[in-house]
Amino acid sequence: MSQVAIKSRDEIALMRQAGRIVSDVLDALEKAVAPGITTWDLDALAERLTAERGARPAFKGYLGFPCVLCASINDEVVHGIPSKRRKLAEGDLMKLDFGVSYRGWFGDAARTVAVGKVSAEARSLLDTTRESLHKAIQAMKPGNRLGDIGHAVQRHVEARGYSVVRDFTGHGIGRKLHEFPHVPNHGQAGAGMKLRSGMVLAVEPMVNQGTHEVELLDDDWTAVTADRKLSAHFEHTILITDGGAEVLTRGA
């Protein structure tokens, strides 16, 4: 059976630094999001800012992914590939998913950004997804169970008429971008392994306006909603402590 690595104080200090870089870069990307900018421009900005901070992009080259940033728009759920041809337009929902490796330790986060003025429906989906991540964080206490995290997300999302993506999950994180365990965004309260102080998990609700089902596009990366309705995505890298959860990628 796989074990979850408990991070030491020194390791956590490095993960805090990685998380701060992720947050700083996402802050800059969010400010740059505007009608007319391309996802390629955002990717180039992320790469430059990562290098300036002495870090390495976590995604570029990972399993063959070609870019620094996962840039997904509207019905694209996750893993969108930046392109010179993809310009943002007023009313879009732009999902920015980004990670770094810093001195051998990873940080990973995502946020959904409104491009200009978006519809009330899009704003509600964005807010609900962000809120569901906060609900998950509140459940991340020593002695609680892994299922409590996904249950908190699912209960909040479904109460508002949306659906939780099943095909992708959060994950452990540390010396590798993806470590044990998988962290589903749905589940049963009180089920699964017990949470312990020193665990670090990347929790990332992906929430759809319609069906939870997704499809993969021909690029073999970009996942879209099966009904082509909107999707939103938020993620933080989170340390479990005796006092509760500490967000290492604070900023979203």
Side-chain angles (χ1 to χ4, degrees), residues 68-91:
V68 170
L69 180 70
C70 290
S72 310
I73 304 172
N74 293 335
D75 64 337
E76 296 170 354
V77 179
V78 71
H79 302 154
I81 299 175
S83 168
K84 295 177 180 178
R85 297 186 299 273
R86 292 298 302 277
K87 288 186 177 181
L88 301 187
E90 183 88 10

Side-chain angles (χ1 to χ4, degrees), residues 67-231:
C67 295
V68 170
L69 180 70
C70 290
S72 310
I73 304 172
N74 293 335
D75 64 337
E76 296 170 354
V77 179
V78 71
H79 302 154
I81 299 175
S83 168
K84 295 177 180 178
R85 297 186 299 273
R86 292 298 302 277
K87 288 186 177 181
L88 301 187
E90 183 88 10
D92 283 344
L93 284 185
M94 175 76 246
K95 278 138 280 179
L96 305 167
D97 188 0
F98 172 73
V100 303
S101 173
Y102 178 75
R103 295 175 59 184
W105 293 89
F106 284 86
D108 187 10
R111 60 184 74 168
T112 300
V113 180
V115 182
K117 185 177 180 180
V118 300
S119 68
E121 292 82 2
R123 174 60 64 181
S124 176
L125 175 66
L126 184 157
D127 290 343
T128 296
T129 309
R130 184 198 294 112
E131 291 161 4
S132 75
L133 176 55
H134 293 162
K135 296 290 186 183
I137 292 168
Q138 291 170 8
M140 297 177 69
K141 303 174 182 178
N144 278 8
R145 299 280 179 171
L146 191 66
D148 293 323
I149 299 172
H151 178 75
V153 171
Q154 184 178 13
R155 180 173 59 183
H156 186 75
V157 166
E158 293 182 351
R160 283 151 181 79
Y162 301 118
S163 63
V164 175
V165 172
R166 266 71 164 171
D167 288 20
F168 302 101
T169 71
H171 50 91
I173 186 170
R175 287 192 180 274
K176 297 180 180 179
L177 178 60
H178 293 126
E179 296 183 350
F180 181 82
H182 295 297
V183 186
N185 295 304
H186 65 285
Q188 181 179 345
M193 71 173 196
K194 187 176 290 187
L195 303 179
R196 296 171 56 198
S197 181
M199 291 180 175
V200 182
L201 305 175
V203 180
E204 50 179 321
M206 300 170 204
V207 177
N208 293 348
Q209 191 176 38
T211 178
H212 70 84
E213 296 178 347
V214 302
E215 297 174 353
L216 198 62
L217 296 185
D218 291 341
D219 63 15
D220 290 329
W221 278 105
T222 308
V224 300
T225 57
D227 56 10
R228 300 305 191 267
K229 293 185 178 180
L230 292 174
S231 184

Side-chain angles (χ1 to χ4, degrees), residues 17 26 53 101 152 176-177 203 237 241:
Q17 293 182 64
L26 282 172
R53 287 158 175 77
S101 173
K176 297 180 180 179
L177 178 60
V203 180
T237 296
T241 77

